[in-house]
Amino acid sequence: MENQGMQRRPHVVLVPAPLQGHLSPMLELGTLLHSKGFSIIIAHTIFNSPDPCNHPEFSFLPIPDNLGDQTAAAANLMTLIITMNNNCEAPLTEILAEFMKRNDQHDQICCIIYDMIMYVSGAVADKLQLPCMILRTSAASAAAAYEHLPRLNAEGYFPLQDSKLQDLVPGLHPLRLKDFATADMGNIKDIIEISAITNNTRNASALIWNTVDHLEHTALALVQQAYPVKFFPIGPIHKMAPPSSTSLLQADSNCMAWLDKQAPHSVIYVSIGSIAIMEEKELAEIAWGLANSSQPFLWVVRPGSVRGSEWIELLPEGFKETVGERGCIVKWTPQRKVLAHVAVGGFWSHCGWNSALESISEGVPMICRPCFADQNINARYLSEFWKVGLHMDGQLDRVKIATTIKRLIMDKEGLEIRQNANAMKEKTKLSVAKGGSSYSSLNELAKLILSNQLPK
Ligand code: UDP
């Protein structure tokens, strides 16, 4: 299928969600399908749109989303998802119908693949009588856990009582009730409702997962019981696809030169991803925790991620002088390159699923400090089940931070975690190599789309 020359390529339309952790895997899926002989059309919102210059091999169809950058940036996640879907249904239908009108019957769209949170694309596919599939960019373990939310709610677990937060959830080892903490996502009814909408596979022929079978075999099997469609775990997608630029923010590559100067496995890399924010008080605790740990650190403070400030204006007085060259603070890194650097000894992460997969792929042990939603569940699996990280739970304070960093980077405990992470890295390498589970799954996926046997 690779070199089709002037032959017509079947068109696949990809509908990414305009959030960093969703956009990257979708664009990389596009690269993978393009290498299998498909022509790729990215139907994207104008808010947080991908840069077409980074992907000259794709066509781009902007969806007039009527969101406005200001409104979108200010909205909470739930409101953004709902507004985005409401606003996109009609224009997405229109631009795809227009595309179909322009092309003859031999040059038609063979499938729409949409991000699970761009759920309205399922209705659009219905209307246009096109086959569709869903890309899941979060962990199967999280999906399996959220399947239990309606039951837990019916059994009276919500709102969560303080005295029960540490209780294990029956049948969901290693999760505790507090791992379902929902305060930051809205009330439980909203969450159950939005989960039901995003988990509705409607007419989808398959679910494509950014995960690896060796990591989530059991969770995938559990979720499969709820969704009787084909599953394709093809992750980590960034390791399947050749490196490409999918970042919405400009990375500061000076940090790579700083890393070159540090001793192997000595640096703690700190990032809370593209969405989470922190309070000034947390900034101060993190700063002094890093300072007191005595380890070198690379810290991403995303502009706007500290409430009430533009960037690092609220860093405590004396901090910069105390740490000097031992600390490197940047606005955004080329994270995958950072994690692959030999100087990095640990990743303090908010446990977004991409970050988790990226860390596992490079064998970097983690400090798990989730901020919201599925990150809580990922953190628990990373630390208690896959044992590739330490869960830094509870109140954030400088003493705990410094101790946890030392435990991970210096102690025997940390060495064991690093060994587990390295074992995961090797297994993951095998999964994406020729004949591995993700490699084979991608081939099967391409075959299925080409078969023309997808239900419309
Ligand atoms: N990322 C990056 N540079 C940074 C911080 C994050 O490139 O300085 C990337 C990271 O590699 C990952 C994505 O941003 O691919 C974040 O996705 P994730 O699912 O981890 O978290 P989210 O941002 O969705 O909360």
Side-chain angles (χ1 to χ4, degrees):
M1 269 188 284
E2 230 90 314
N3 285 314
Q4 293 207 336
M6 296 304 290
Q7 242 176 294
R8 276 178 172 166
R9 286 165 165 252
H11 299 291
V12 174
V13 173
L14 303 183
V15 189
L19 301 168
Q20 185 66 70
H22 292 251
L23 188 62
S24 298
M26 185 63 96
L27 291 173
E28 284 153 354
L29 173 63
T31 303
L32 289 171
L33 291 176
H34 185 265
S35 77
K36 299 279 171 201
F38 294 96
S39 151
I40 303 299
I41 301 163
I42 309 287
H44 62 88
T45 54
I46 292 171
F47 168 64
N48 271 354
S49 60
D51 183 352
C53 300
N54 292 330
H55 303 277
E57 73 282 23
F58 300 162
S59 311
F60 288 82
L61 285 180
I63 312 168
D65 54 37
N66 203 18
L67 278 172
D69 279 7
Q70 299 283 334
T71 325
N76 76 27
L77 207 50
M78 203 73 84
T79 313
L80 176 67
I81 294 173
I82 293 168
T83 315
M84 194 165 62
N85 278 281
N86 288 344
N87 290 11
C88 285
E89 181 167 4
L92 179 60
T93 312
E94 229 166 82
I95 58 174
L96 293 184
E98 180 58 31
F99 178 93
M100 291 163 77
K101 225 192 285 167
R102 274 201 316 267
N103 290 310
D104 65 41
Q105 56 169 356
H106 302 295
D107 205 15
Q108 281 300 346
I109 297 166
C110 65
C111 186
I112 297 180
I113 301 178
Y114 63 93
D115 186 290
M116 64 179 278
I117 65 173
M118 293 300 288
Y119 52 82
V120 84
S121 315
V124 173
D126 260 354
K127 246 187 252 167
L128 300 174
Q129 295 195 319
L130 289 170
C132 67
M133 296 181 179
I134 300 172
L135 174 66
R136 306 274 313 213
T137 58
S138 46
S141 308
Y146 282 121
E147 281 296 311
H148 288 261
L149 267 188
R151 172 182 64 84
L152 294 173
N153 190 37
E155 290 173 7
Y157 285 98
F158 297 104
L160 293 173
Q161 291 165 30
D162 284 350
S163 60
K164 301 226 159 128
L165 288 177
Q166 297 293 340
D167 289 4
L168 289 169
V169 187
L172 275 178
H173 175 80
L175 299 183
R176 306 156 304 179
L177 279 170
K178 71 178 290 192
D179 301 316
F180 285 99
T182 54
D184 37 12
M185 292 281 291
N187 72 45
I188 186 70
K189 280 210 181 99
D190 288 347
I191 294 172
I192 291 175
E193 201 178 304
I194 196 81
S195 298
I197 297 173
T198 54
N199 288 342
N200 184 350
T201 50
R202 300 178 61 104
N203 53 341
S205 320
L207 296 189
I208 304 166
W209 294 86
N210 187 16
T211 192
V212 206
D213 188 65
H214 78 75
L215 208 57
E216 296 210 281
H217 184 82
T218 310
L220 283 164
L222 278 173
V223 189
Q224 178 80 76
Q225 289 170 11
Y227 302 103
V229 294
K230 288 282 285 176
F231 274 21
F232 295 98
I234 61 161
I237 296 182
H238 76 284
K239 282 289 177 188
M240 293 283 289
S244 63
S245 181
T246 56
S247 193
L248 289 165
L249 296 173
Q250 179 76 35
D252 179 347
S253 48
N254 290 329
C255 61
M256 300 307 290
W258 178 87
L259 280 176
D260 288 342
K261 291 188 227 145
Q262 312 304 320
H265 304 315
S266 64
V267 174
I268 181 85
Y269 169 56
V270 187
S271 160
I272 60 166
S274 64
I275 302 170
I277 57 168
M278 67 180 97
E279 304 297 331
E280 179 180 357
K281 197 170 167 309
E282 292 172 292
L283 180 85
E285 292 307 313
I286 298 173
W288 289 124
L290 290 170
N292 297 345
S293 76
S294 306
Q295 291 303 126
F297 60 87
L298 169 56
W299 184 7
V300 183
V301 182
R302 209 181 65 246
S305 66
V306 181
R307 209 188 293 281
S309 77
E310 297 269 312
W311 188 38
I312 51 173
E313 307 81 283
L314 297 176
L315 272 177
E317 220 170 284
F319 166 73
K320 279 194 189 157
E321 295 72 17
T322 305
V323 296
E325 289 294 298
R326 181 160 65 78
C328 177
I329 302 181
V330 293
K331 293 181 174 170
W332 194 249
T333 63
Q335 178 163 301
R336 292 159 182 182
K337 284 191 192 155
V338 166
L339 290 170
H341 197 290
V342 65
V344 173
F347 180 11
W348 167 342
S349 171
H350 70 308
C351 302
W353 187 235
N354 291 279
S355 293
L357 284 177
E358 289 162 13
S359 208
I360 286 172
S361 302
E362 302 304 337
V364 176
M366 302 175 76
I367 290 177
C368 303
R369 177 74 192 177
C371 298
F372 60 86
D374 62 333
Q375 297 158 14
N376 293 304
I377 291 165
N378 299 343
R380 196 72 179 152
Y381 273 86
L382 288 161
S383 57
E384 303 302 315
F385 194 64
W386 300 313
K387 299 194 184 299
V388 295
L390 290 171
H391 198 159
M392 190 162 57
D393 216 0
Q395 188 75 23
L396 194 62
D397 72 72
R398 57 194 75 184
V399 177
K400 185 192 287 175
I401 293 170
T403 316
T404 311
I405 294 174
K406 281 192 186 141
R407 277 170 65 201
L408 191 75
I409 308 265
M410 309 293 280
D411 292 358
K412 184 162 170 284
E413 184 185 13
L415 191 68
E416 278 166 21
I417 296 174
R418 177 182 309 285
Q419 282 163 353
N420 293 340
N422 268 322
M424 288 284 182
K425 171 186 174 175
E426 293 310 316
K427 277 193 188 168
T428 303
K429 254 195 209 164
L430 291 176
S431 303
V432 300
K434 192 168 181 188
S437 61
S438 295
Y439 179 97
S440 307
S441 200
L442 175 68
N443 282 342
E444 281 170 34
L445 170 67
K447 238 190 264 166
L448 178 66
I449 303 176
L450 265 186
S451 68
N452 246 339
Q453 316 244 304
L454 295 175
K456 295 183 178 171

